[in-house]
Amino acid sequence: MKIIEVNKRVLEKNDDIASRLNQFLHDREILLVNLLGTPGSGKTTLLERILERVDIRKVAVIEGDLYTDSDAKRIENFGVRTIQLNTCGACHLEASMIQEAIHKLDLNGIEVIIIDNIGNLVCTAEFKLGEDKRIMVFSVTEGNDKPLKYPLMFQTTDILIINKMDLIRYTNFNIEDFKKDVWILNPQCHIYECSAYHNEGINDILNILFPLSE
Amino acid sequence: MKIIEVNKRVLEKNDDIASRLNQFLHDREILLVNLLGTPGSGKTTLLERILERVDIRKVAVIEGDLYTDSDAKRIENFGVRTIQLNTCGACHLEASMIQEAIHKLDLNGIEVIIIDNIGNLVCTAEFKLGEDKRIMVFSVTEGNDKPLKYPLMFQTTDILIINKMDLIRYTNFNIEDFKKDVWILNPQCHIYECSAYHNEGINDILNILFPLSE
């Protein structure tokens, strides 16, 4: 019981910071995107495919990890402004961490900031980070039962990207059943299909991030 | 700061319950196994392949899920004594929940109790559940970088089962590099390879659970 009360207080405080951060970025016409998904769903690989196609001066990336900076190094190779956030083992990012990261970023010319969140289908969904859009990356190898097992993640995402479509033929994943379950939880959810590894289906996703300039 | 202190108190209390639970089961010569891994790594499918091969009167299963009972229903189909634990959205199981579940189980004739944990690479690793062995299920589609990104999970597992070996040829997963990283973190870790979906490599894993009777 105690834990739940503490969590509630933590979440309320977090939502307040997230709301102010969103306003701060909105005033500067910067879009904040929260990229979520399970470990290995392909978030960072998808991000690499996106960065190959955009004007990198307009993008910044905040990399969330428990300890390492390997993903931040992958992203920095593209010449993009990158901030590494290490949680020292904690399972989620909080809005105050994003606030601190953004205050360290040179925002000059930035149109989109992408948060590459920690791989987790539970805790990350609970914490608003000030984002305008949530994009969840889900791979076909994760199985059909996940929307109903991890509903909050699917309920709170604006966009769902089904990744590793190249592997679907080797699995028992039923994409139509999967989409039905997602839309029961979240009728407004936009769903895209891609293979980040094979660089397929990326352009449609670009239009979400840069609807005017691309 | 506050959160970390609360977490510490929660973990200490949890470890105490876990230790007493382990002694309770040890006195009754019952082995408690904690099956962990990311969502979609194949824990429940592997469990089904194991249950097909054993005397089900000797096994009980505790299914951990956020809300659903779909995995418990899959396991009950085998005629195995099954307890469903729903955490109502919380990201991990705690020893007190396992204690409660075990007190509701008829332990007569049981040799092994398997906990099918919530899909999560972070929080579940922090909570001891009174287990004698931790078995982590990891699928080749999750990528090579995971041991260093989620070290506690890999450090605390006794056995690591690399699943979905049938898909390895379609990925860039390097199994030798992966094993090296695991053994740097956890030199004692036993590693097995299988494809639960294709029913391959299961017998070696059986010997971990039933070393004498199989």
Side-chain angles (χ1 to χ4, degrees), chain B residues 83-195:
Chain B
I83 301 270
Q84 174 70 56
L85 280 180
N86 282 335
T87 63
C88 302
C91 57
H92 61 272
L93 298 174
E94 299 188 14
S96 60
M97 303 174 192
I98 303 301
Q99 190 179 40
E100 200 185 328
I102 285 176
H103 284 167
K104 283 183 183 161
L105 266 174
D106 168 15
L107 297 176
N108 187 28
I110 295 293
E111 293 182 8
V112 178
I113 301 174
I114 302 172
I115 304 164
D116 188 6
N117 212 317
I118 290 169
N120 188 317
L121 282 197
V122 187
C123 320
T124 51
E126 291 178 15
F127 286 82
K128 293 178 187 169
L129 302 181
E131 68 268 24
D132 298 288
K133 279 188 201 298
R134 283 192 177 192
I135 302 182
M136 181 190 178
V137 183
F138 180 89
S139 70
V140 299
T141 54
E142 293 174 44
N144 264 89
D145 55 347
K146 297 306 172 291
L148 301 181
K149 288 185 77 173
Y150 301 91
L152 186 64
M153 178 64 76
F154 289 88
Q155 276 160 348
T156 57
T157 196
D158 301 292
I159 292 145
L160 176 65
I161 296 173
I162 305 177
N163 191 21
K164 307 194 189 178
M165 283 298 292
D166 54 300
L167 295 180
I168 195 167
R169 74 186 78 174
Y170 310 113
T171 71
N172 58 1
F173 186 75
N174 184 316
I175 200 161
E176 296 311 320
D177 286 352
F178 177 80
K179 287 179 179 176
K180 269 184 213 156
D181 284 344
V182 172
W183 282 323
I184 286 168
L185 291 167
N186 183 350
Q188 272 77 46
C189 185
H190 295 273
I191 302 182
Y192 296 84
E193 300 168 17
C194 80
S195 166

Side-chain angles (χ1 to χ4, degrees), chain A residues 2-3 6-7 9-10 38-41 43-44 63-68 70-71 74 89-91 94 117-123 126 139 141-143 145-146 148-152 164 166-167 170-172 197-198, chain B residues 2-3 6-7 9-10 38-41 43-44 63-68 70-71 74 89-91 94 117-123 126 139 141-143 145-146 148-152 164 166-167 170-172 197-198:
Chain A
K2 248 184 193 169
I3 310 169
V6 171
N7 280 348
R9 284 206 305 277
V10 170
T38 206
S41 56
K43 294 182 291 301
T44 310
E63 275 293 340
D65 279 299
L66 273 63
Y67 305 100
T68 56
S70 53
D71 286 352
R74 283 169 64 180
C91 56
E94 299 189 12
N117 213 317
I118 290 168
N120 188 317
L121 282 198
V122 188
C123 320
E126 291 179 14
S139 70
T141 53
E142 294 173 44
D145 55 347
K146 297 307 170 292
L148 302 180
K149 288 184 77 173
Y150 301 91
L152 186 65
K164 307 194 188 177
D166 54 300
L167 294 181
Y170 310 113
T171 72
N172 58 0
Y197 182 51
H198 286 277
Chain B
K2 248 183 194 168
I3 309 169
V6 171
N7 280 349
R9 283 206 307 275
V10 170
T38 206
S41 56
K43 294 181 290 302
T44 311
E63 274 293 340
D65 279 300
L66 274 65
Y67 305 100
T68 56
S70 53
D71 285 354
R74 284 169 63 180
C91 57
E94 299 188 14
N117 212 317
I118 290 169
N120 188 317
L121 282 197
V122 187
C123 320
E126 291 178 15
S139 70
T141 54
E142 293 174 44
D145 55 347
K146 297 306 172 291
L148 301 181
K149 288 185 77 173
Y150 301 91
L152 186 64
K164 307 194 189 178
D166 54 300
L167 295 180
Y170 310 113
T171 71
N172 58 1
Y197 182 51
H198 286 276

